[in-house]
Amino acid sequence: MNETLSYVNPGPDSPWTTYLSQVDRVLPYLGPLARWAETLRRPKRALVVDVPIELDDGRVAHFEGFRVQHNLSRGPGKGGVRYHPDVTLEEVMALAAWMSIKNAAVNLPYGGAKGGIRVDPKQLSTKELEKLTRRYTSEIGIIIGPMQDIPAPDVNTNAQVMAWMMDTYSMNVGATATGVVTGKPIHLGGSLGRVKATGRGVFVTGREAARRIGLNLDGARVAVQGFGNVGSSAAELFVQAGSRIVAIQDHSGTIVNEHGFDFAELMPHVRATGGVAGFKGGDAAPAESFWDVKCEVLIPAALEGQINADRANRITAKLVLEGANGPTLPVADDILGDRGVLVVPDVICNAGGVTVSYFEWVQDFSSFFWTEDEINVRLDKIMVGALKTIWDTADRHGVSLRTATFAVACERILMARQERGLYP
Ligand code: NAD
């Protein structure tokens, strides 16, 4: 009766296939709630939109846009918007589904959603980017809103993009609606601490996991893939804890330095050039050698599907902290587990961003804003508490942290589904 979805045809390494296999692994731990599990295998709602804009040279270009609401049983949809040339419907479906799991894992009153546009934003001028964002926001305006679905930044989107989205939505509804997006500029209802929150969450879960496995972060070697919002913010906190960042890979290249990079010199270089390539305080290295670098901690913070079976066999780290969404293929997950490498999965590791997005949304509704210290203390407390619950669940069932996170989250989602009942 429950047939596979006809509107996508995901390949074996596609993010949606990865997500479905993660759901399969949690089924034995759901007890009677497994009766409702099919709801996790299909998005509640998937909107595909055409986004036409007039380019600076007068031509008209059309882009594919998506907004997927995976599950809304626990509250409004929540999840970022990605601008990338590889965005597809099935990728956005997987990212939306991981948001359902993540939001439930940290017990936020949200369902899961995600959006994206298939575009290389680096090819557009600022004016064109603004037009693209505004038209996309108008097109998905029929399903987003402060109580319906609240977008936020993801790959290649930032506070400026959120400001355009907020303004467009507000113009269309005729009232300023700051709560429609999070990750906004501070003076437009944004929250202190939001920009670095995902990286901070990666660090907090990493710190706790390291403590539990007896790994000293002071002096530990860290390798980071992806040096954007998440990767650079996490790396900075590891440096403050005494760790050495010995390898970084981004879209521009791979650099290594066994003594650790000087952050005060690296950050201005990345800001000025847009990437790590050409940084004088390290050596350029071939891309594939990144996975062989000697390190104690590895932080994938770029895109999905980066850790395949081959790379999983070569990774030297004891601890993998998934800053990115979906960086590890299921086959690689098993190899890392067999090799005794602890993986703190995306669905808890990078939940710091959405947690502070939740703080931002609450502050917008109450029009009362918290200090950065208050934000960081509350974030730390939520992340530590959520990781403890997950760790205890993993011990109880004898499963990986990923399956334990899915167990905790799916139980909450399916309990809400059962209590609400099926309409009509
Ligand atoms: P970003 O756009 O700020 O940075 C992306 C980084 O990845 C850049 O350094 C880019 O050079 C690098 N990159 C792109 N393609 C690459 C490739 N092929 N190889 C190596 N590096 C590559 O994006 P971000 O917000 O830091 O997001 C990174 C990851 O974290 C994504 O998976 C995203 O879904 C996830 N995430 C982000 C947030 C958030 O709050 N921004 C929250 C949770 C999860």
Side-chain angles (χ1 to χ4, degrees), residues 46-364:
L47 180 64
V48 181
V49 295
D50 176 36
V51 188
I53 60 163
E54 189 175 354
L55 301 175
D56 293 345
D57 64 8
R59 285 178 301 148
V60 176
H62 289 254
F63 299 91
E64 277 175 48
F66 308 94
R67 185 73 189 173
V68 173
Q69 296 170 344
H70 172 258
N71 190 286
L72 304 180
S73 294
R74 302 182 74 253
K78 186 88 192 82
V81 173
R82 175 175 295 194
Y83 291 176
H84 196 279
D86 296 337
V87 164
T88 60
L89 174 59
E90 62 203 37
E91 180 189 49
V92 179
M93 281 164 54
L95 292 166
W98 283 322
M99 287 309 299
S100 299
I101 304 297
K102 192 183 305 181
N103 292 333
V106 278
N107 221 354
L108 304 179
Y110 290 135
K114 200 87 179 191
I117 306 181
R118 193 171 171 84
V119 61
D120 181 358
K122 294 184 179 69
Q123 305 297 322
L124 298 185
S125 69
T126 305
K127 197 72 220 154
E128 291 166 339
L129 204 58
E130 178 176 351
K131 285 184 190 171
L132 181 84
T133 302
R134 288 186 181 279
R135 182 63 189 251
Y136 168 71
T137 308
S138 274
E139 295 295 339
I140 65 166
I142 51 175
I143 62 167
I144 63 168
M147 298 306 293
Q148 285 85 37
D149 180 359
I150 308 118
D154 191 72
V155 174
N156 289 328
T157 56
N158 56 20
Q160 175 60 76
V161 172
M162 293 306 114
W164 290 328
M165 289 189 78
M166 189 276 267
D167 183 69
T168 305
Y169 180 85
S170 297
M171 289 297 146
N172 287 345
V173 298
T176 297
T178 53
V180 68
V181 289
T182 58
K184 299 178 293 293
I186 301 296
H187 51 278
L188 288 181
S191 178
L192 294 168
R194 173 60 185 92
V195 172
K196 297 193 171 181
T198 308
R200 181 172 288 277
V202 171
F203 173 73
V204 171
T205 52
R207 181 193 71 204
E208 291 302 299
R211 185 179 59 74
R212 286 167 179 266
I213 63 170
L215 171 66
N216 189 356
L217 290 184
D218 194 1
R221 295 166 296 181
V222 179
V224 187
Q225 190 204 32
F227 206 62
N229 175 304
V230 179
S232 67
S233 308
E236 189 181 8
L237 290 168
F238 276 93
V239 169
Q240 285 168 20
S243 307
R244 281 177 289 155
I245 311 298
V246 294
I248 304 177
Q249 176 171 88
D250 71 1
H251 73 281
S252 70
T254 304
I255 55 170
V256 293
N257 181 342
E258 61 180 301
H259 305 295
F261 300 108
D262 183 334
F263 241 66
E265 289 178 6
L266 176 61
M267 289 314 292
H269 173 87
V270 172
R271 271 193 290 271
T273 66
V276 297
F279 178 55
K280 296 277 180 276
D283 298 319
E288 201 49 38
S289 70
F290 173 81
W291 304 97
D292 301 310
V293 165
K294 299 271 177 296
C295 60
E296 281 72 44
V297 180
L298 172 69
I299 307 177
L303 297 170
E304 302 93 45
Q306 294 298 301
I307 306 184
N308 56 22
D310 174 47
R311 291 171 178 174
N313 273 310
R314 287 154 46 204
I315 285 168
T316 63
K318 297 183 177 67
L319 186 57
V320 174
L321 304 174
E322 293 187 339
N325 285 307
T328 310
L329 296 176
V331 59
D333 229 359
D334 292 341
I335 293 169
L336 291 171
D338 290 346
R339 293 185 56 223
V341 179
L342 181 68
V343 178
V344 181
D346 47 7
V347 277
I348 176 65
C349 191
N350 69 33
V354 72
T355 302
V356 176
S357 274
Y358 165 60
F359 296 163
E360 178 174 332
W361 184 71
V362 168
Q363 292 171 86
D364 285 340

